[in-house]
Amino acid sequence: MTNPTMNLLLFAMLPYVALFVFFLGTIMRYRKAPFTYSSLSSQFLENNQHFWGLTALHYGIFAILLGHLMGLLIPRQVLLWNSRPLRLYVLEIFSLAFALMALVGFVGVIERRIRYPKARTVTTPADWIIESMLILQAAAGIYVAIFYPWGTSWYSTSAAPYLHSIFFFRPDISYLVTMPFIVKFHVVNGWLIVGFFPFTRLVHALVAPLPYLWRKPQLARWYGIGILPVWPRRPSGVRD
Amino acid sequence: MLDWITGKGFRNSLTPRVCAMVALLIGTAAAQQDAGTFFKQNCTSCHTIGGGRLTGPDLKDVGSRRDRAWLVQFLQSPKAMIDSGDLYATKLQQEARGVVMPNIAGMNPQQAQALVDMISTESKLPRSQFAGMQISDRPLTDQDIAKGRLVFLGEQQLSGGGPACISCHTVKGLTLLGGGRLGPDLTRVYERLQGRKGLAAWLSSPASPTMAPVFKDHAIQPEEVLSLVALFEDSAKRGGQDDTTSLLNFFLLGVGGMVLGLISLDALWKTRFRGVRRSMVHKNDRGEG
């Protein structure tokens, strides 16, 4: 990844190809096959390990994506926060904890799909590929966080200007070309994930049922709950 | 008119020659200026022209030391020249205490030629504009070191708007979990860059490919440079280099945070439904399903 032509291809051209495919792909899929816009729950097939993978990966990835977004949108404020070593360390430790949580989650969900035949049956090749990409991405990010600290600061001064240059159509790869291999890998794999996004279950992120957060609570009545002969326990969240 | 079109008129006129000469002069001036800007942005952190040695040699009259072809080749890839076993290039590296001149972004044969021309022109001047910056040689005090520490940690922001050193660099014993490790450990940088003058020149115009784009519009101001020099002089005196225990501590704190996170999730969903309908599964296992 040190060849200048390769650098241009990977850091200046790949992003545009990936973004183009992302927008075109997500829109086309929504228009042509709206009912596939889902991550097809497999909770019914196995529910115990599912919890540990699912919650850990989602809460981890939410926090990490939010961090990347903040570095991109308000880099100066992030640097201002980091201008006291203690605050820098707190931010870094929290970020690392969430990143590890995401990694544990990703490994948990893929292991579950390997281990439980029922879950394996409903797993597509695209699932395996995107899962592997996400695990690699999280692992590379964690490696960078540990061995090339302090990323929350230098992301704001080196990665954010690169991303700005891409989004404003003035690609400037000078910030990236001298970065260590693993940082470059994280960036390239990131763009590949963006490009592959529309063809995977990740599209569910675009149609997250956010109104659930503020809509009025609904009361579900479970008729006949008392007449079943063996009912181990009442499902949680069900009131009567 | 026909003469003009066929060019006969031109041949009889001085105008085109004058035009060509003016164009050549303007072109040369522009190339010189470009080479000057290029030199300022990429070379002054390690070289002067007539101002004495910094990390790299003083380039005054470099054209009389090596021939043009060698210089142009070296400028384009210093490391390749050293690796090829070139004796003079190896000697330069030894004189720079092992520091290898990096490949400079944007360097090509034309740029290298222009630089050699510019250095030759500047060498003839009584005082070149690249004779180096003047840094105070007053003794550095504890106050300077303390101020340098604040600048390094980012508690006192760089007035040019650049990021704090701690983002990418560490110095032994400076803080709890150490500084960054994207860039080199700076505990002994004062020795590596051969003292106050070399270090100050580097800080005034950081030329490494990673730092250059970040600092090109956010230069470190002279008084901040002096404070940082004081800090690095002090750290070099103390010696050693930062150990990696802080990395392990950081990792363990991260793991601790993750475990706490998982425990919180478990507690938050204490009453979750923990399996598929167990009675149905048992029935199935008994062969009744």
Side-chain angles (χ1 to χ4, degrees), chain A residues 43-48 51-52 55-56 59 76 79-80 82-86 88-89 92-93 96-98 100-101 104 118 142 145-151 153-154 157-158 172 174-175 177-180 183 222 230-237, chain B residues 153-157 161-164 166-169 175-183 209-211 213-214 216 218 246-247 250-258 261-263 265-266 268-280 284:
Chain A
Q43 187 177 11
F44 190 66
L45 305 174
E46 190 286 320
N47 194 30
N48 210 9
F51 171 81
W52 291 107
T55 44
Y59 281 89
R76 296 217 72 80
L79 284 176
L80 203 62
N82 282 352
S83 66
R84 295 283 181 281
L86 191 64
L88 164 74
Y89 294 150
E92 285 281 346
I93 292 166
L96 180 63
F98 277 112
L100 288 167
M101 212 151 113
V104 165
K118 283 180 193 159
I142 289 167
I146 294 170
F147 292 99
Y148 299 107
W150 300 111
S153 279
W154 62 253
T157 57
S158 290
D172 179 357
S174 62
Y175 296 95
V177 288
T178 55
M179 286 285 171
V183 177
W222 203 281
V230 227
W231 190 264
R233 53 182 291 182
R234 210 162 272 174
S236 69
Chain B
L153 296 177
E155 296 194 26
Q156 181 183 325
Q157 285 182 47
I166 193 179
S167 310
C168 302
H169 298 284
T175 49
L176 202 64
L177 286 177
R181 286 167 199 273
L182 184 68
T210 315
M211 284 179 85
V214 176
K216 68 175 185 252
H218 305 288
S246 54
L247 288 190
F250 172 55
F251 175 68
L252 292 177
L253 283 166
V255 172
M258 177 198 68
L262 292 177
I263 292 173
L265 290 177
D266 189 35
L268 205 60
W269 274 278
K270 202 168 54 185
T271 58
R272 68 182 177 272
F273 184 50
R274 284 170 194 266
V276 290
R277 312 264 153 86
R278 278 175 222 169
S279 58
M280 292 161 77
N284 189 43

Side-chain angles (χ1 to χ4, degrees), chain B residues 192-213:
Chain B
R192 280 206 300 278
L193 295 182
Q194 308 184 9
R196 188 186 292 202
K197 202 171 154 194
L199 182 54
W202 175 270
L203 287 168
S204 305
S205 160
S208 75
T210 315
M211 284 179 85

Side-chain angles (χ1 to χ4, degrees), chain A residues 133-197:
Chain A
M133 286 169 95
L134 289 169
I135 286 179
L136 282 176
Q137 188 69 346
I142 289 167
Y143 185 94
V144 170
I146 294 170
F147 292 99
Y148 299 107
W150 300 111
T152 53
S153 279
W154 62 253
Y155 176 91
S156 304
T157 57
S158 290
Y162 160 70
L163 290 171
H164 287 167
S165 81
I166 295 291
F167 293 136
F168 289 103
F169 301 101
R170 291 188 307 265
D172 179 357
I173 62 168
S174 62
Y175 296 95
L176 270 188
V177 288
T178 55
M179 286 285 171
F181 172 82
I182 194 77
V183 177
K184 290 179 172 177
F185 174 84
H186 190 71
V187 174
V188 170
N189 196 42
W191 288 123
L192 290 175
I193 290 173
V194 169
F196 195 43
F197 186 99

Side-chain angles (χ1 to χ4, degrees), chain B:
Chain B
M1 185 65 185
L2 195 66
D3 284 352
W4 189 84
I5 293 170
T6 55
K8 281 180 193 163
F10 265 123
R11 276 199 293 277
N12 298 330
S13 153
L14 275 176
T15 322
R17 273 181 248 172
V18 172
C19 285
M21 281 174 71
V22 169
L24 191 67
L25 279 174
I26 294 173
T28 316
Q32 289 272 354
Q33 197 190 0
D34 278 341
T37 316
F38 190 89
F39 190 88
K40 195 172 174 199
Q41 284 173 353
N42 297 290
C43 315
T44 49
S45 50
C46 296
H47 298 282
T48 69
I49 302 178
R53 183 182 182 88
L54 298 175
T55 310
D58 183 347
L59 297 178
K60 189 176 169 75
D61 295 323
V62 70
S64 62
R65 300 201 286 274
R66 301 304 296 172
D67 65 37
R68 190 183 183 82
W70 190 95
L71 291 171
V72 169
Q73 201 188 341
F74 183 80
L75 279 172
Q76 290 175 70
S77 186
K79 189 167 186 305
M81 285 283 267
I82 293 166
D83 291 345
S84 75
D86 184 281
L87 287 178
Y88 195 79
T90 315
K91 181 171 156 260
L92 287 179
Q93 190 197 357
Q94 283 162 359
E95 284 171 359
R97 298 195 188 180
V99 176
V100 179
M101 176 171 147
N103 284 347
I104 312 289
M107 185 70 83
N108 53 39
Q110 293 77 23
Q111 191 64 63
Q113 297 272 7
L115 277 174
V116 173
D117 288 338
M118 191 277 296
I119 293 168
S120 150
T121 315
E122 288 285 333
S123 298
K124 290 184 190 118
L125 301 175
R127 184 180 160 79
S128 162
Q129 57 173 319
F130 301 117
M133 65 173 294
Q134 296 303 314
I135 178 137
S136 163
D137 52 6
R138 70 174 170 80
L140 298 169
T141 61
D142 285 349
Q143 247 182 339
D144 291 319
I145 299 171
K147 203 175 148 208
R149 190 173 179 277
L150 293 181
V151 172
F152 187 96
L153 296 177
E155 296 194 26
Q156 181 183 325
Q157 285 182 47
L158 289 168
S159 45
C165 317
I166 193 179
S167 310
C168 302
H169 298 284
T170 187
V171 163
K172 188 184 178 186
L174 202 62
T175 49
L176 202 64
L177 286 177
R181 286 167 199 273
L182 184 68
D185 180 340
L186 297 183
T187 310
R188 308 184 84 125
V189 70
Y190 185 85
E191 291 166 2
R192 280 206 300 278
L193 295 182
Q194 308 184 9
R196 188 186 292 202
K197 202 171 154 194
L199 182 54
W202 175 270
L203 287 168
S204 305
S205 160
S208 75
T210 315
M211 284 179 85
V214 176
F215 280 91
K216 68 175 185 252
D217 298 324
H218 305 288
I220 306 175
Q221 298 308 304
E223 64 277 17
E224 294 159 346
V225 167
L226 198 64
S227 313
L228 287 171
V229 168
L231 172 73
F232 294 136
E233 189 186 33
D234 182 59
S235 68
K237 261 186 224 155
R238 292 168 197 270
Q241 64 184 75
D242 204 15
D243 53 34
T244 46
T245 13
S246 54
L247 288 190
L248 185 66
N249 290 340
F250 172 55
F251 175 68
L252 292 177
L253 283 166
V255 172
M258 177 198 68
V259 172
L260 275 181
L262 292 177
I263 292 173
S264 312
L265 290 177
D266 189 35
L268 205 60
W269 274 278
K270 202 168 54 185
T271 58
R272 68 182 177 272
F273 184 50
R274 284 170 194 266
V276 290
R277 312 264 153 86
R278 278 175 222 169
S279 58
M280 292 161 77
V281 175
H282 292 153
K283 227 182 192 178
N284 189 43
D285 290 346
R286 289 195 301 268
E288 295 168 20

